[in-house]
Amino acid sequence: EEALAAARKIADALPDNALAALDVAELSLQVGKADEARDAFAHLREIADLPEDEVAALQGMIKAELERGDEQRALELAREAGAIDTVGRTTAVLAHLELSAGGGGAEIEGAVARGQSSAFIQALEAPPSRDEIEALIDATLADLRGKLVEDDRSVTAEEPVG
């Protein structure tokens, strides 16, 4: 709770800082404040510079919605992420949520008919578990954190001294 309060102060002072928004979002999830996490990930999405950063923010929102128990909203967000995800980070998450929503075999046939990628169809045939998709989302968020830290270091190194 103390770390979250400190992160909130930093994020309030630096509203366009993606790393500060990510800190609030992840810490909120850690302390069980899924609503606050969802809102912080939504803010992160708004200030994201690149589509892959937006995909990561959407995945964070998916994780928050799953924590809240709203699988339908998580599925909607996964579809949004899948539409802009150029590297396929959302494929397994979307497949899991599509099948959880009750698609089953009909979902696989529908995916083929819609021209979905072979990776998506394979994910539907052997869907990941909830724990596996949470691990995938965590990996995406860790990659985003690493990128943001690196970007922050680059900006700091470029700033003139004194």
Side-chain angles (χ1 to χ4, degrees), residues 8-82:
R8 281 188 199 117
K9 287 181 183 178
I10 293 168
D12 288 346
L14 303 168
D16 292 330
N17 186 292
L19 189 56
L22 181 60
D23 285 342
V24 171
E26 290 186 323
L27 288 167
S28 295
L29 276 177
Q30 287 178 11
V31 299
K33 295 181 182 264
D35 289 341
E36 184 174 355
R38 179 199 54 215
D39 294 346
F41 280 121
H43 176 67
L44 178 59
R45 180 184 183 192
E46 290 173 11
I47 62 175
D49 288 334
L50 301 170
E52 62 260 26
D53 297 351
E54 186 177 353
V55 168
L58 280 162
Q59 287 199 8
M61 291 171 70
I62 292 165
K63 187 172 181 176
E65 292 298 352
L66 290 172
E67 288 295 317
R68 294 178 66 247
D70 192 345
E71 283 199 12
Q72 186 58 44
R73 180 64 182 138
L75 175 58
E76 293 168 9
L77 293 166
R79 289 175 177 156
E80 287 181 46

Side-chain angles (χ1 to χ4, degrees), residues 97-160:
L97 292 169
E98 289 281 8
L99 287 173
S100 289
E107 182 56 39
I108 294 171
E109 290 173 15
V112 172
R114 289 189 310 271
Q116 290 285 354
S117 71
S118 61
F120 180 73
I121 293 166
Q122 287 174 344
L124 284 173
E125 290 172 346
S129 68
R130 168 87 181 253
D131 288 343
E132 289 169 328
I133 67 161
E134 287 190 12
L136 291 169
I137 291 171
D138 289 343
T140 298
L141 293 173
D143 287 348
L144 176 62
R145 176 172 294 286
K147 176 193 167 294
L148 293 175
V149 167
E150 184 63 32
D151 289 351
D152 194 48
R153 286 185 188 140
S154 296
V155 169
T156 304
E158 293 172 8
E159 291 178 359

